[in-house]
Amino acid sequence: MTSFTDSRRRSVSNRKTALAAGVALMGAASALQAVTLQVPGDFPTIAAAIGAAAPNDTIEVAPGEHSVPDTFSVTTPITLASWLHTRNDPAARDTTILTGSGSRGFVLEGSAAGTRIIGFTFREMTKPINPAARDVEILNNRFVNGGSDQIDFEVGGSGRVADNVFENASDEAVDLDGDSEVIIERNVMNICGDDCIEIRFHAVPGDPITIVIRDNIITGANRDGIQMMPDPDGITPRSLVIHNNIISGGMAGIACMDNFETREDLSGCAMDERVVVYNNTILDNQVGITGGDNMVVVNNIIAGNGVGVRRVDGGSIVDSTVFANTTDVESSVLGPNVYFRDPGLDPADNSLLENSSSIDAGTAQFSWNGEQIFDLTSNYAGLAPDLGAIEFGMDPNPDPDPGNQPPFVSAGDDLLLLFPDSMAAIEASVVDDDPVTITWSLEGGPPGATIDDPAAATTFVRLSHQGRYILKVTASDGELSSTDTLVITYANDARNGDFIISAPATLLIEAEDYQVLGGGARVVQDSEASAAAALEISDSRAFAEYELITTREGYDYYLWVRLSGQGDMLNASLDNGVERVLHRPSGGGTALSWLRLPQPFSSPAGQYTLRLRALNPDARWDATYVTTDTDFTPPGGAIAPEPDPVADDDEQTPATSTATSAVTPSFLVALIALVILVRPRRRFAKRAGASGQLSVRRSL
């Protein structure tokens, strides 16, 4: 008697054609071309179609609800797909629903290497796909309210998991065991009962294994977004590359756990396998990353976490990464290019805002311990890669003919020029398909500066007075144009250092711990000063600059300045460049005394320049307090009565003015402007050696 399967096979084989007669004549067995088997058109169930399939056949499943038997073995390489794949029907994934009540769904045996599963909704299934075969592809599926792991790679399993959506898995979205070597890319994983991706580093023989996790959105893990568990018996031949992911809302974004222990304690572990973590955005976890003795963490945004990185140590490195967390770093190795500031993210999708300091702030190439880790040359939109997962200005689905676009122009890093050198080379970098014209212009600064050739990409600027100059470069292709700005600080002296304030806190900045000192300002010994030294002003162009890093959102920062002189006028300008005027009553004496700016400044976490500028000689200042405490009183020294503002908010003087129009000459014994300027990325290219170097990094 002929079975149903045998008769169905003959029926299907009528649609198959033999290979060319010449091949048969060579003595080879008759081979059949792959065909498409339709469910329910040709077979009533998916199980029946799989049982009848020959190698490389496609099983096309029509919209509707279909049942998957418990622990159903697939032993032949097939493509199991909905109309999404076979007929390009975008609605088919959501309308072709697979269900099953067993302990597992499809088990892809080793003989099913190359199997593809495309375009289904797996609803409320326990372990719906279990690959133990090589080169498996699981693409464009949706996993909803599933029990246990949704894709569970076992010994012998490898392949690609791409463009899937996982919603509310009771355990992992993707679990890797044994010798699994998998690329996990462009998936959305939302709410996982344990980890969203869990990897056990079982000891395996054979060739090295590389696991790649990229371009995923991972949110709401009950434990970790990505959890790695090294083998307690020693290092295994594995490496991981984790890049361009957005990972948020878990205990740890990326975690390492000892002894195959999956219950997270956020302690990290001594994992020796190489893990490269670059261009990720890791947000709002208890800990961003726990290491890890062999991790390379570069070009990332790590923000909004309780702790940014913890125990990324040993032979690890964290570099070219921006932090904005409650606590940024614990027991980790930092490189020279680590930033503590607002990363400038759009809260709608965690992409970069147009004015984000993370744009072009990354590195295109990175080497560590003599090994090149990555080379991103040309894989970014600007002059350098951005920090974080999403490159600003790079369309993931570019228009093949977008028409004319404006040139991309950069004026380069800000410059620090030290006396007696008063000339600086400036160079514009331009990217455009068409010929462009370049125009340099002076937008602000002391008078008398000149540009040798404003129409040249590379030229020289000559400065007449010490101070802060703003230059703008414009690139035009005749139809569209774009601009960039360059800040040049011309000063007498420069020292390396910045101050970190982690609110709530109070921070003392000594006057002599400046980063830049210019004009007629000089350090003098003063027995009345808090550190026996103060800054003395001898002309109206004197200034000092201090680098201030704030690491917390939602705080007001009050400034106290200790001054000497009679009838002092103090102009305070915040982020918006508007100056507010204060003065000390003439009856307050001439000794050093404290004066508080009546209005605080409030701004996102980031890096700022605190600039003190005197417009009349014979003033002296000793120190500055930055505090979030509204009741703070500086210790020691007389405190000048806090006066009423000379001008209210509607009568403020622009920061670029001389301020003489806002005050009367009788008050101009000394005039100091305190300017808080947002400097998203204060990178100086120093054009002359500083007369003294002092490393200051003081934090509270």
Side-chain angles (χ1 to χ4, degrees), residues 68-73 101-105:
V68 178
D70 184 15
T71 314
F72 187 81
S73 292
S101 58
S103 61
R104 291 196 293 177

Side-chain angles (χ1 to χ4, degrees), residues 183-467:
I183 296 174
I184 304 171
E185 60 182 347
R186 299 190 306 273
N187 302 281
V188 175
M189 303 178 184
N190 183 30
I191 305 179
C192 302
D194 195 69
D195 313 307
C196 282
I197 300 174
E198 183 179 282
I199 308 166
R200 285 179 172 84
F201 291 5
H202 291 108
V204 293
D207 295 333
I209 294 169
T210 300
I211 297 168
V212 178
I213 303 172
R214 63 191 180 199
D215 301 305
N216 302 282
I217 299 174
I218 302 172
T219 61
N222 189 49
R223 289 193 174 125
D224 304 327
I226 301 171
Q227 186 182 92
M228 301 165 287
M229 290 172 282
D231 192 319
D233 293 331
I235 189 171
T236 64
R238 278 180 181 80
S239 63
L240 270 77
V241 180
I242 303 171
H243 69 91
N244 293 95
N245 303 282
I246 298 174
I247 308 174
S248 65
M251 291 184 69
I254 300 173
C256 168
M257 290 289 294
D258 266 328
N259 299 320
F260 289 160
E261 175 57 66
T262 186
R263 289 172 294 184
E264 181 60 73
D265 63 6
L266 298 175
S267 62
C269 68
M271 180 175 64
D272 293 320
E273 285 84 354
R274 166 61 56 81
V275 180
V276 178
V277 180
Y278 71 88
N279 282 105
N280 299 279
T281 299
I282 302 174
L283 307 170
D284 303 329
N285 305 278
Q286 293 182 42
V287 181
I289 301 175
T290 64
D293 289 348
N294 192 6
M295 299 183 76
V296 179
V297 181
V298 182
N299 284 359
N300 300 284
I301 292 173
I302 304 177
N305 305 281
V307 176
V309 292
R310 173 180 288 163
R311 198 179 171 181
V312 183
D313 55 8
S316 300
I317 183 69
V318 181
D319 205 2
S320 294
T321 289
V322 60
F323 290 93
N325 308 275
T326 303
T327 300
D328 289 314
V329 179
E330 291 184 355
S331 303
S332 298
V333 181
L334 301 184
N337 299 309
V338 175
Y339 314 108
F340 302 92
R341 64 192 183 209
D342 183 354
L345 293 174
D346 185 337
D349 60 2
N350 295 315
S351 63
L352 298 178
L353 296 169
E354 185 174 3
N355 62 348
S356 170
S357 61
S358 300
I359 295 174
D360 291 351
T363 180
Q365 297 175 316
F366 192 82
S367 297
W368 180 239
N369 292 333
E371 175 188 356
Q372 185 174 63
I373 303 301
F374 60 72
D375 184 350
L376 307 179
T377 303
S378 301
N379 193 28
Y380 47 89
L383 297 180
D386 299 341
L387 302 181
I390 303 175
E391 179 80 9
F392 182 81
M394 181 174 284
D395 187 351
N397 300 296
D399 185 341
D401 184 18
N404 186 33
Q405 300 294 304
F408 182 90
V409 62
S410 171
D413 291 342
D414 294 347
L415 301 179
L416 173 61
L417 196 64
L418 296 180
F419 181 82
D421 294 330
S422 60
M423 180 178 70
I426 53 177
E427 181 177 3
S429 300
V430 183
V431 177
D432 197 67
D433 294 334
D434 302 312
V436 298
T437 59
I438 296 293
T439 305
W440 287 96
S441 60
L442 283 161
E443 300 296 310
T450 60
I451 300 172
D452 283 6
D453 186 355
T458 302
T459 185
F460 291 91
V461 59
R462 302 173 191 271
L463 310 178
S464 54
H465 302 287
Q466 292 187 20

